[in-house]
Amino acid sequence: EVQLVESGGDLVQPGGSLRLSCAASGFTFSRSAMSWVRQAPGKGRELVAASTTSGNITYYTDSVKGRFTISRDNAKDTLYLQLNDLKSEDTGRYYCSRGWMTTRPEGQGTQVTVSS
């Protein structure tokens, strides 16, 4: 059974940082490209970032370039998203998704709220 368990979300002030994690199981993580997706209240899903299997090629949506970093540890079957210089518009529920530039969450996600 495929499981993706996201964690690390929190309430932070503008300009703050967070590190999100996605623990994967039930499939061969090292052979799967992975993506991060977010959904803000009242809005649709938005692709945030993606990583190839080795992490040597990444994608970021324009609004997070230079602020967010996607990475992975294939030995630990874990995907990460480092969020820096957070803005109110980054508020939303963040999910990981299997595949390159996919928006198909399979977990519960983790809530990121940016507010002063």
Side-chain angles (χ1 to χ4, degrees), residues 47-50 58-71 81-82 100:
L47 175 65
V48 175
T58 55
Y59 162 85
Y60 298 94
T61 193
D62 285 346
S63 62
V64 309
K65 284 180 181 176
R67 301 188 298 119
F68 290 9
T69 303
I70 188 171
S71 63
L81 187 68
Q82 178 69 40
W100 174 251

Side-chain angles (χ1 to χ4, degrees), residues 17 24 36 63 79 90 103:
S17 297
W36 281 100
S63 62
L79 181 73
D90 295 318
T103 56

Side-chain angles (χ1 to χ4, degrees), residues 4-106:
L4 297 173
V5 180
E6 301 92 345
S7 63
D10 205 346
L11 169 64
V12 296
Q13 294 186 344
S17 297
L18 286 172
R19 188 193 197 200
L20 308 184
S21 298
C22 167
S25 62
F27 65 102
T28 307
F29 178 78
S30 61
R31 295 182 182 177
S32 181
M34 296 292 295
S35 303
W36 281 100
V37 180
R38 69 185 176 189
Q39 186 160 18
K43 296 188 177 181
R45 294 173 187 165
E46 177 188 21
L47 175 65
V48 175
S51 168
T52 53
T53 55
S54 65
N56 63 332
I57 298 174
T58 55
Y59 162 85
Y60 298 94
T61 193
D62 285 346
S63 62
V64 309
K65 284 180 181 176
R67 301 188 298 119
F68 290 9
T69 303
I70 188 171
S71 63
R72 60 193 296 160
D73 186 337
N74 287 340
K76 296 182 178 179
D77 290 349
T78 302
L79 181 73
Y80 302 100
L81 187 68
Q82 178 69 40
L83 291 66
N84 295 330
D85 189 23
L86 281 160
K87 305 176 186 297
S88 58
E89 53 263 40
D90 295 318
T91 293
R93 196 154 192 89
Y94 285 69
Y95 304 85
C96 54
S97 174
R98 290 187 290 165
W100 174 251
M101 295 180 66
T102 57
T103 56
R104 298 188 298 267
E106 296 174 83

